């Protein structure tokens, strides 16, 4: 019995690592595409600003003392609103498509874990696309992610209007006016990158947060769908932390590694924006569960073993540095294609 359990243990560990690395890779690729959408939108807005500037003959400065102040503002805002609506629609569609891939990755990936580690014959129902889309659009904390994108769009429109009015009041140059719009959008026009990696502001930062949260939420819902289909061997699930230097204290306090949740007992992670917790299946056969997975390590234990983030046995709020998103770069390269 020792060797089969050992083999199963390795299969579960490697499978979970591969699945997480693929979901994180999917998130990163999505953010890169969203960043390009934002950069393209900024270029359009910048050109529109130049055109309006030239049309109304404002000279070197964008001044509210110009008699055409109101016409200039409303003309530009009409163009900006149209561009922002298009950006929001494109960002929502991209995130939704990637969330569908995340759901499928969670579903088939966790089916792989159950098959490799817990049993050789699993119940894997059909996964119709429409059912997946309906599951993803199910409200989360009162809103769907489509609603959250719309809220971000409305907030950004207000911010841009304020930035344009401020530019006129301050008598900004064209570059300064463009810079204000870029700041509201959340990109850095002094670099050639799609987004400013050092800043956490503007509409892009909010969109990034929505995208990452929704992709992981969809992946977890996919995982839960396969777990619930195999309730004959699974008692429920444990909410598992992602153990690295970016683990937040909110998740450390929320998660109880010893508590097994029955299916439907509580809402699935993510528990907050950018949360990286995930459900891990728990077998009814406790003896086999201990042999395969064993007791989950707490964050305090992990941090102590890695000599980071600890102070007299307590988790510190300030992590040392940003870690890689998987156990190794090679693991990400070799990870099987799940979606």
């Amino acid at each position: 019995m020792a060797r089969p359990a050992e083999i199963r243990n390795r299969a579960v560990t490697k499978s979970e690592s591969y699945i997480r690395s693929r979901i994180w890779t999917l998130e990163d690729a999505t953010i890169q595409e969203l960043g390009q959408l934002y950069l393209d939108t900024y270029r359009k807005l910048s050109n529109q600003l130049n055109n309006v500037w030239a049309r109304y003959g404002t000279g070197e400065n964008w001044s509210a003392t110009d008699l055409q102040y109101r016409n200039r503002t409303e003309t530009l805002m009409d163009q900006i609103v149209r561009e922002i609506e298009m950006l929001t629609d494109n960002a929502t569609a991209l995130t939704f498509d990637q969330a569908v891939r995340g759901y499928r990755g969670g579903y088939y990936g966790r089916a792989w874990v159950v098959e490799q580690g817990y049993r050789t014959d699993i119940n894997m129902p059909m996964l119709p696309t429409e059912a997946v889309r309906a599951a993803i659009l199910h409200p989360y904390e009162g809103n769907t992610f489509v609603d959250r994108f719309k809220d971000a769009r409305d907030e950004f429109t207000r911010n841009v209007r304020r930035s344009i009015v401020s530019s006129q009041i301050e008598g900004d140059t064209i570059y300064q006016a463009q810079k204000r719009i870029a700041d509201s959008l959340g990109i850095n026009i002094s670099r050639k990158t799609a987004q400013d990696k050092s800043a956490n502001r503007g509409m892009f930062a909010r969109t990034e947060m929505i995208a990452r949260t929704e992709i992981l939420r969809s992946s977890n819902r996919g995982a839960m769908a396969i777990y619930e289909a195999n309730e004959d061997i699974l008692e429920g699930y444990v909410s598992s932390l992602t153990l690295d230097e970016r683990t937040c204290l909110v998740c450390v306090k929320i998660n109880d590694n010893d508590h097994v949740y029955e299916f439907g007992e509580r809402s699935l992670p993510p528990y907050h924006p950018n949360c990286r917790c995930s459900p891990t299946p728990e077998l009814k056969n406790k003896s086999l569960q201990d042999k395969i997975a064993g007791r989950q390590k707490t964050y305090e234990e992990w941090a102590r073993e890695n000599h980071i983030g600890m102070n007299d046995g307590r988790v510190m709020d300030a992590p040392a540095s940003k870690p890689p998103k998987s156990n190794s770069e090679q693991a990400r390269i070799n990870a099987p294609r799940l979606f």
Side-chain angles (χ1 to χ4, degrees), residues 72-251:
R72 195 167 60 242
T73 300
E74 294 308 318
T75 297
L76 183 59
M77 282 306 303
D78 286 344
Q79 295 174 343
I80 285 175
V81 169
R82 287 195 294 271
E83 291 296 336
I84 295 306
E85 287 178 348
M86 186 179 301
L87 170 64
T88 304
D89 289 344
N90 290 337
T92 304
L94 171 62
T95 301
F96 187 69
D97 288 344
Q98 301 297 64
V100 170
R101 295 179 68 190
Y103 187 101
R104 290 184 178 277
Y107 183 89
Y108 291 117
R110 264 41 185 223
W112 181 32
V113 171
V114 174
E115 183 178 38
Q116 293 292 308
Y118 299 143
R119 62 195 279 178
T120 56
D121 178 26
I122 70 166
N123 180 17
M124 193 180 335
M126 292 286 290
L127 195 58
T129 298
E130 289 307 312
V132 174
R133 294 168 70 89
I136 293 172
L137 287 174
H138 185 76
Y140 168 59
E141 294 186 347
N143 291 308
T144 67
F145 76 90
V146 175
D147 298 323
R148 281 187 273 280
F149 271 111
K150 289 180 179 179
D151 290 343
R153 178 196 65 194
D154 295 342
E155 179 182 332
F156 175 68
T157 302
R158 290 192 296 270
N159 289 342
V160 170
R161 180 180 288 275
R162 282 196 293 268
S163 73
I164 290 174
V165 172
S166 296
S167 290
Q168 293 172 321
I169 292 174
E170 297 294 331
D172 284 349
T173 64
I174 182 66
Y175 175 81
Q176 290 170 324
Q178 291 170 333
K179 181 67 166 59
R180 286 182 187 270
I181 291 178
D183 288 344
S184 296
L185 197 58
I187 65 173
N188 188 334
I189 60 176
S190 65
R191 299 182 182 181
K192 294 182 180 181
T193 53
Q195 67 269 1
D196 180 5
K197 296 290 187 181
S198 64
N200 184 23
R201 52 175 169 70
M203 187 182 177
F204 179 78
R206 183 163 175 185
T207 299
E208 179 181 21
M209 177 190 70
I210 294 172
R212 290 193 186 280
T213 303
E214 293 299 335
I215 289 172
L216 182 60
R217 183 176 76 94
S218 298
S219 172
N220 288 345
R221 288 181 68 86
M224 191 54 58
I226 200 66
Y227 295 161
E228 290 176 345
N230 290 274
E231 288 183 273
D232 58 321
I233 64 164
L234 298 178
E235 178 184 2
Y237 69 95
V238 173
S239 183
S240 300
L241 288 167
T242 296
L243 297 176
D244 60 28
E245 295 175 12
R246 291 189 295 134
T247 304
C248 73
L249 290 183
V250 173
C251 291

